[in-house]
Amino acid sequence: MRKIKHFIDSGFVESSSGKTFDQVAPATGQVVGQVSEAGRNEVNQAVEAARNALTGEWGKLNVEQRCELLYRVADGINARFDEFLAAECEDTGKPYSLARHIDIPRGAANFKIFADTVRNAANKSFEMATPDGAGAINYSVHVPKGVIAVVCPWNLPLLLMTWKVGPALACGNTVVVKPSEETPATATLLGEVMNEAGVPAGVYNVVHGFGPNSAGAYLTEHPGVDAITFTGETGTGEAIMRAAATGVRDVSFELGGKNPGIVFADCDMGKAIEGTMRSAFANCGQVCLGTERVFVERPIFDEFVARMKSGAEALKPGHPEDAETNLGPLVSEIHRKKVLSYYELAAEEGANVVTGGGVPKMPGDLAGGSWVEPTIWTGLDDDARAVREEIFGPCCHISPFDDEEEVIARANDTEYGLAAAVWTENVSRAHRVAGRLEAGITWVNSWFLRDLRTPFGGMKQSGIGREGGEYSLEFYSETKNICIKL
Ligand code: NAD
């Protein structure tokens, strides 16, 4: 049986307690490995290694040298592309066709892009007058924040982890990563790549375990951690924020969503269907930016629902490695229970189940996996729980609307504010509506498209702060002012 260990100070180590937990492949439900579960001991060691690295060889590198190493890390991921692909797809059950084009390439690209961004970031300077007439110059410099805790979710494990580790290291910090307990593999594999690339010991560390009373809590409570970046549920964000209050440590949060998609009658129907299908069902609906609330202008409502139904029914669940598979399982049995409870709830709340709502019959070894049917509902009020709460499964509710003012108010009537999608061919309407939606990102006639130099993050309960491009420097470095009297 495969063993997944912590990666601390450039070595792979097991927990001193000997405690482990199962690594389960969600496509089949089979246990494929044993993962070491960190206690306070391992978390202490990882944080200590990260602290020591700040003043060791790593701390003495200039930005060019750091970025050169990060380029090598990116190349190292690409050199072992197939291993990362197999590991990610086994852990998540997602189709190879998806991870091959999104998860793994973006995992490598995050190191290159942030190396370039940080290397090219300019500092500001200001000249000022002084009473003696000599003047003074003020200039700002970015210095590392210190040890960054990176707490990750399971839906896009490598992509979302490297999206944090890339800028953290480019800025000169060191990291301790706590991957999700559901998806420990690629963060661990990255340890090997870090060693191969020559990244000094202690710069990148990984501890495995759960959240409360386990590695996640031990890490975020640790006084040796200077800042915490977290992606996951809003409720977990609240717990981490409480931990971060001790020692007034900085946080960057990317949290949950219940994102609206708004389809106007003047849209290009083919594009709107294709985009909404992806936003509801890609990665089996386990995408924070996914659309679970779809609003469709009444004249095209029936046609839109019928075409979404055909699209959902044409999705092909199957083995991740099969080329025709385009729908994976949910990540775990626990998550399947949660999603199925919403399927029941929606029916109890009076939803019209357009398609799905249950568990598909899967053949052979897939029968033990965490599969659910892609599901579409209509007929619920906006205050139904299935319409208000994040489900994070392959499902959406579609409701009709009659005018722009109404739909903007309904789309914004949520505690979340992560993403929105608007489908219209009317350019004035596109600007008008996008400007008024309460979302960190609004797409017009597209979905999941973003230049990585742009800010990313959520409004309201969907997050705190912005990362991406130079915005990441605001979290991963301290900006110091130096004032020189001439
Ligand atoms: P989660 O909050 O359950 O877990 C995320 C991580 O936090 C895991 O590593 C977990 O072990 C850890 N954790 C849990 N409790 C903790 C605690 N008390 N202290 C410290 N660590 C703790 O989230 P998940 O189920 O893994 O991921 C799904 C959620 O993530 C959804 O809500 C989704 O919307 C959100 N998400 C958001 C974004 C975004 O960019 N906004 C991206 C992806 C996922």
Side-chain angles (χ1 to χ4, degrees):
M1 176 80 53
R2 172 194 309 147
K3 278 191 172 170
I4 295 198
K5 301 178 186 173
H6 315 294
F7 182 69
I8 300 175
D9 215 10
S10 82
F12 290 92
V13 295
E14 295 185 55
S15 297
S16 54
S17 66
K19 269 173 93 174
T20 61
F21 59 95
D22 290 344
Q23 183 197 16
V24 178
T28 59
Q30 277 160 15
V31 176
V32 292
Q34 291 298 319
V35 188
S36 288
E37 183 182 345
R40 286 200 193 270
N41 224 359
E42 289 69 38
V43 172
N44 289 345
Q45 285 168 16
V47 173
E48 197 186 328
R51 288 224 74 79
N52 290 340
L54 286 171
T55 49
E57 186 191 342
W58 174 251
K60 296 186 180 63
L61 299 181
N62 62 37
V63 64
E64 294 288 326
Q65 293 165 318
R66 282 200 306 266
C67 293
E68 216 39 63
L69 281 176
L70 297 188
Y71 261 78
R72 274 196 244 156
V73 172
D75 292 343
I77 294 173
N78 284 328
R80 299 176 66 175
F81 192 96
D82 289 347
E83 274 177 84
F84 276 94
L85 182 65
E88 197 76 317
C89 293
E90 184 176 61
D91 257 357
T92 56
K94 67 177 72 189
Y96 275 45
S97 55
L98 182 71
R100 183 178 283 122
H101 291 111
I102 297 196
D103 301 64
I104 314 303
R106 267 286 302 279
N110 280 334
F111 286 101
K112 285 203 166 134
I113 285 164
F114 283 109
D116 288 341
T117 301
V118 172
R119 190 171 8 209
N120 293 325
N123 289 320
K124 282 188 176 161
S125 79
F126 299 91
E127 286 176 38
M128 67 182 287
T130 54
D132 65 3
I137 297 173
N138 292 251
Y139 64 93
S140 59
V141 287
H142 290 98
V143 295
K145 218 164 212 172
V147 175
I148 311 284
V150 183
V151 182
C152 307
W154 43 256
N155 59 331
L156 298 154
L158 182 72
L159 186 158
L160 289 174
M161 187 257 295
T162 52
W163 155 254
K164 310 289 193 169
V165 173
L169 299 191
C171 289
N173 303 285
T174 59
V175 298
V176 180
V177 174
K178 212 298 278 170
S180 168
E181 52 274 31
E182 308 292 354
T183 51
T186 45
T188 313
L189 198 49
L190 187 60
E192 292 181 22
V193 170
M194 292 280 173
N195 282 349
E196 288 157 7
V199 174
V203 171
Y204 173 81
N205 304 276
V206 181
V207 289
H208 295 292
F210 300 86
N213 303 311
S214 184
Y218 302 154
L219 178 61
T220 51
E221 288 162 4
H222 201 295
V225 165
D226 297 293
I228 304 163
T229 180
F230 166 72
T231 307
E233 287 183 12
T234 297
T236 310
E238 288 175 348
I240 291 179
M241 205 162 175
R242 280 192 285 275
T246 306
V248 280
R249 286 150 327 133
D250 203 0
V251 295
S252 172
F253 284 169
E254 289 166 11
L255 308 175
K258 187 76 181 178
N259 310 305
I262 302 176
V263 187
F264 286 96
D266 59 16
C267 72
D268 177 320
M269 179 71 110
K271 286 188 199 156
I273 291 286
E274 191 273 334
T276 310
M277 276 292 299
R278 279 198 301 125
S279 71
F281 302 123
N283 208 35
C284 198
Q286 303 164 119
V287 182
C288 55
L289 302 165
T291 303
E292 289 190 1
R293 295 185 296 144
V294 186
F295 300 96
V296 181
E297 205 166 359
R298 204 173 296 273
I300 60 164
F301 180 78
D302 290 342
E303 184 190 349
F304 189 88
V305 172
R307 288 177 67 173
M308 284 289 290
K309 176 180 189 306
S310 320
E313 289 172 357
L315 289 170
K316 290 204 165 50
H319 273 290
E321 60 273 27
D322 287 352
E324 67 273 20
T325 299
N326 56 14
L327 184 73
L330 293 171
V331 78
S332 65
E333 266 314 295
I334 294 177
H335 190 50
R336 175 157 83 160
K337 280 203 183 93
K338 176 187 160 187
V339 171
L340 287 177
S341 76
Y342 277 100
Y343 283 14
E344 275 170 33
L345 177 70
E348 279 163 29
E349 288 183 309
N352 167 39
V353 183
V354 176
T355 186
V359 171
K361 225 178 154 33
M362 299 299 291
D365 61 343
L366 297 177
S370 309
W371 302 90
V372 293
E373 289 173 338
T375 296
I376 297 172
W377 302 291
T378 57
L380 288 174
D381 291 337
D382 289 354
D383 60 2
R385 281 184 52 206
V387 179
R388 300 200 71 81
E389 297 173 15
E390 183 186 47
I391 301 172
F392 221 56
C395 55
C396 63
H397 178 262
I398 313 181
S399 57
F401 72 89
D402 292 299
D403 72 64
E404 197 178 298
E405 208 52 43
E406 170 209 336
V407 78
I408 291 171
R410 291 172 67 193
N412 285 340
D413 180 19
T414 166
E415 66 211 23
Y416 294 113
L418 189 56
V422 179
W423 301 90
T424 177
E425 293 294 300
N426 177 330
V427 82
S428 301
R429 165 176 278 155
H431 285 290
R432 218 166 38 229
V433 176
R436 290 183 58 197
L437 288 173
E438 294 164 0
I441 181 165
T442 297
W443 282 288
V444 175
N445 297 332
S446 63
W447 180 76
F448 210 79
L449 179 71
R450 192 172 67 81
D451 187 312
L452 294 177
R453 292 169 294 189
T454 60
F456 179 80
M459 293 167 69
K460 303 197 269 188
Q461 290 188 29
S462 287
I464 295 181
R466 294 291 179 274
E467 296 193 31
E470 290 199 14
Y471 295 86
S472 293
L473 265 84
E474 287 172 20
F475 178 71
Y476 293 105
S477 61
E478 295 284 5
T479 312
K480 281 198 336 188
N481 182 46
I482 296 174
C483 179
I484 311 252
K485 171 80 169 50
L486 299 176

